[in-house]
Amino acid sequence: CSRCKRGFSSSQALQQHYDDSASHNRCEVCGFDGSTWEKSLAHHRTTKHRVVCQGCDDGEGMIWVSGSQEYLDHLKEQNVCKTCQMHFESASNLDNHQMVHLERSVECHGCYRTFKTYPAMIIHLESGACDSEIDMTDLNESAAMCFQWKAYLMEDDTVYPFKCPECDTVFTRLSGLFQRAYSKACNQDLNKGKIGNLVRWLEVQHSVSGSGSESE
């Protein structure tokens, strides 16, 4: 070993030295040997040969085999953001944080503005601020016209008129119902089942390219 100025009886013994010595931080993909931990981290951040969780060890970083079960367990147990490696105290805090990484890919039904989530777009419409002048009343009336309205509307409750078809949690606004489905707090999916049908129905009713006829 040129760095340590030591000789070994075999290549296997030399490799064992590389693996065990704190003086070596070898990349198993290309053989790069970082003389320091920081240089090894920099190598993996540049080449992507290994994934670096930069939120570990007070920000110094930990190297993992990308996609390994050990790494996946670490993400789950420590509530780690896959995008920026920030660690959170709870899964709910992680879910809230991950919103910052979403692209604005959801186009408003009425004005071509884009939003990070479907519930955020519905909140925009409910506010009455959309150039299309679609508002909460329009959305509620359209929801009541959908053929599956009994699955998510409370007939006699004007304070909490909406309910989740899966868990019966009630909401004052349609956007609350969609936020529940988006959060995956229960088994109801935003794009499947009765709520998925409602999403498609509202698009037909209010999208600038919609036909205005009821979907199945």
Side-chain angles (χ1 to χ4, degrees):
C1 174
S2 59
R3 180 178 299 161
C4 301
K5 296 180 172 58
R6 291 180 57 188
F8 297 88
S9 59
S10 66
S11 59
Q12 289 83 0
L14 175 59
Q15 184 60 51
Q16 190 64 49
H17 164 72
Y18 287 146
D19 294 340
D20 296 341
S21 174
S23 299
H24 297 279
N25 300 281
R26 291 176 64 83
C27 174
E28 296 177 3
V29 177
C30 68
F32 171 83
D33 188 4
S35 59
T36 65
W37 178 245
E38 289 73 19
K39 289 183 179 179
S40 184
L41 287 174
H43 168 75
H44 287 294
R45 287 168 180 159
T46 301
T47 64
K48 309 299 183 184
H49 287 167
R50 291 291 184 266
V51 61
V52 179
C53 185
Q54 301 183 70
C56 292
D57 285 358
D58 297 324
E60 292 182 3
M62 288 290 288
I63 295 176
W64 307 80
V65 176
S66 182
S68 68
Q69 189 59 49
E70 185 180 19
Y71 175 62
L72 296 177
D73 290 344
H74 169 70
L75 295 180
K76 183 177 181 180
E77 292 168 2
Q78 300 297 321
N79 301 308
V80 181
C81 174
K82 293 181 182 179
T83 304
C84 66
Q85 291 87 48
M86 286 185 65
H87 290 49
F88 295 87
E89 294 182 357
S90 68
S92 60
N93 288 345
L94 171 60
D95 290 340
N96 291 333
H97 159 78
Q98 288 177 328
M99 294 285 290
V100 306
H101 298 302
L102 295 177
E103 296 182 1
R104 290 181 174 271
S105 59
V106 180
E107 186 175 284
C108 175
H109 289 333
C111 70
Y112 298 108
R113 284 185 60 184
T114 54
F115 299 84
K116 291 185 176 182
T117 68
Y118 183 81
M121 186 271 289
I122 294 298
I123 291 173
H124 159 69
L125 291 175
E126 286 180 336
S127 72
C130 182
D131 291 343
S132 67
E133 298 184 353
I134 298 171
D135 60 16
M136 186 185 304
T137 300
D138 297 320
L139 292 176
N140 291 353
E141 289 178 349
S142 293
M145 291 168 59
C146 185
F147 73 104
Q148 288 187 319
W149 66 269
K150 290 184 178 180
Y152 50 80
L153 276 175
M154 306 284 285
E155 295 187 56
D156 302 321
D157 194 334
T158 57
V159 178
Y160 296 96
F162 298 100
K163 66 176 180 178
C164 173
E166 185 68 28
C167 64
D168 290 334
T169 302
V170 294
F171 308 92
T172 59
R173 296 190 176 193
L174 186 60
S175 56
L177 173 61
F178 287 135
Q179 285 177 317
R180 174 75 173 184
Y182 181 83
S183 71
K184 298 181 180 179
C186 69
N187 293 329
Q188 178 60 58
D189 191 284
L190 183 63
N191 299 306
K192 297 179 181 179
K194 296 178 175 64
I195 296 301
N197 289 335
L198 175 58
V199 168
R200 290 185 286 274
W201 167 243
L202 291 178
E203 181 176 5
V204 169
Q205 290 298 104
H206 296 290
S207 174
V208 290
S209 59
S211 65
S213 60
E214 183 166 355
S215 61
E216 295 184 358

